[in-house]
Amino acid sequence: MPELPEVETIRRDLKKKILNKKIKQVLVTGKARVNLDHKGFVKVLKNRKFVNIDRVGKLLIFDIDLKNRFLLVHLKMTGQLIYTRGQQVTAGGHSDVKYNFNLPDKSTRVTFEFVDGRKLFFNDSRRFGYLRIVNATELQKVKEKFGIEPLVKNFTLENFEKILQGRKTNIKAILLNQQLIAGIGNIYADEACFDARVLPGTQVSELTSGQVLKLHRAVEKVIKKAIEERGTTFNNYRDSEGKRGNFLKFLKVYGRVGLKCKRCSGIIEKTKVAGRGTHFCSKCQK
DNA sequence: CCTTGTGTTCTCCG
DNA sequence: CCGGAGAACACAAG
């Protein structure tokens, strides 16, 4: 479940590793979700370089050294971008036996091979993720659909208040809406609500100004901390070296149903809000 | 049946 | 009756 912090971690790491490296070959398997036919997709990327990697919300944008062509990568639920040295994943430190595999494997959909022999694998067991080649006009259209980035300077309290103004839904639905705020998914929506002591199902019109202030701070705080910890590995997420994110141990509510609240004596509950599994402590969130 | 991110469709309301 | 908002549904596959 890569959300903003996970995608941002991959973006920053990959920028250091693959920028301006010539792509020697691209391999697309039959099950890859790519917007062009495989031959056309390979043709765009072969012998090219990525000259920058950008991100909007949970979407990665690779600038190609080819006029008017960009590669969009969305990881959706189980997508991974793993960069290896030859056959072996470069993961050291907290490498995980199960995922310290030889690549490519069954879930590999696309492989980029660079001139130095290193490879970048797009793995996606559930195949919800996709790769898309777009032109500048299409890229612009895609970007326009996203709302404010939580860690950019225009994510002010005033702008957050404007987003909430007149809404007739609950706060979680707002936090998950990519057209309003970009990059928050189910984990960080629940965590931000917990940090702000607000129940995720609270109608926006019922929020006090104090709660709005706390929610604004909570979104910034949680996303920032999660990036520092290189994201959350709950199931499938791995960084570009195949390593887990460290934020799991900082989760206060997500995935903790039935466990004791880390802030009070309550027990974490789980219901459905905005159509998603939602975790909260009804004792210290109001 | 569940999981989540997102695009589409439906419905409601002013 | 139009448009926007929000909810509901669909879809991906394990």
Side-chain angles (χ1 to χ4, degrees), chain A residues 124-138:
Chain A
D124 187 9
S125 66
R126 295 193 189 176
R127 287 175 55 223
F128 297 175
Y130 62 78
L131 282 73
R132 270 180 75 194
I133 301 285
V134 296
N135 63 32
T137 312
E138 291 165 319

Side-chain angles (χ1 to χ4, degrees), chain A residues 1-8 55-59 74 146-151 174-189 219 223:
Chain A
M1 292 155 276
E3 305 179 26
L4 192 159
E6 292 77 30
V7 177
E8 179 64 11
R55 178 190 58 75
V56 54
K58 304 162 193 169
L59 185 67
H74 203 304
F146 288 92
I148 301 182
E149 286 281 330
L151 295 187
I174 301 292
L175 295 176
L176 290 176
N177 188 332
Q178 303 301 298
Q179 302 186 53
L180 300 176
I181 304 168
I184 301 176
N186 208 28
I187 296 175
Y188 299 112
V219 167
I223 297 292

Side-chain angles (χ1 to χ4, degrees), chain A residues 93-129:
Chain A
H94 297 89
S95 65
D96 164 19
V97 174
K98 191 180 170 196
Y99 277 85
N100 197 7
F101 32 32
N102 285 327
L103 291 173
D105 67 13
K106 260 187 179 173
S107 73
T108 302
R109 310 300 172 194
V110 179
T111 306
F112 299 87
E113 185 183 348
F114 295 91
V115 282
D116 60 1
R118 291 195 173 206
K119 292 175 181 176
L120 177 67
F121 296 96
F122 172 66
N123 297 333
D124 187 9
S125 66
R126 295 193 189 176
R127 287 175 55 223
F128 297 175

Side-chain angles (χ1 to χ4, degrees), chain A residues 37-52:
Chain A
D37 62 84
H38 297 179
K39 261 176 106 177
F41 183 82
V42 172
K43 203 177 166 188
V44 170
L45 291 162
K46 193 174 173 177
N47 295 320
R48 296 293 166 186
K49 306 165 184 168
F50 296 123
V51 291
N52 193 26

Side-chain angles (χ1 to χ4, degrees), chain A residues 265-281:
Chain A
S265 57
I267 300 293
I268 305 305
E269 298 166 56
K270 185 177 180 186
T271 58
K272 254 199 165 90
V273 175
R276 299 297 173 216
T278 298
H279 314 71
F280 56 89
C281 172

Side-chain angles (χ1 to χ4, degrees), chain A residues 2-9 12 55 57-58 148-152 155 175 178 181-193 195 215-232 247 251:
Chain A
E3 305 179 26
L4 192 159
E6 292 77 30
V7 177
E8 179 64 11
T9 299
R12 289 180 186 179
R55 178 190 58 75
K58 304 162 193 169
I148 301 182
E149 286 281 330
L151 295 187
V152 165
F155 185 64
L175 295 176
Q178 303 301 298
I181 304 168
I184 301 176
N186 208 28
I187 296 175
Y188 299 112
D190 284 2
E191 293 299 315
C193 287
D195 192 81
L215 281 162
H216 177 254
R217 280 191 194 152
V219 167
E220 281 186 332
K221 179 180 153 187
V222 168
I223 297 292
K224 201 175 162 198
K225 174 72 172 165
I227 292 175
E228 281 170 20
E229 298 296 337
R230 304 182 57 78
T232 303
F247 198 71
L251 294 179

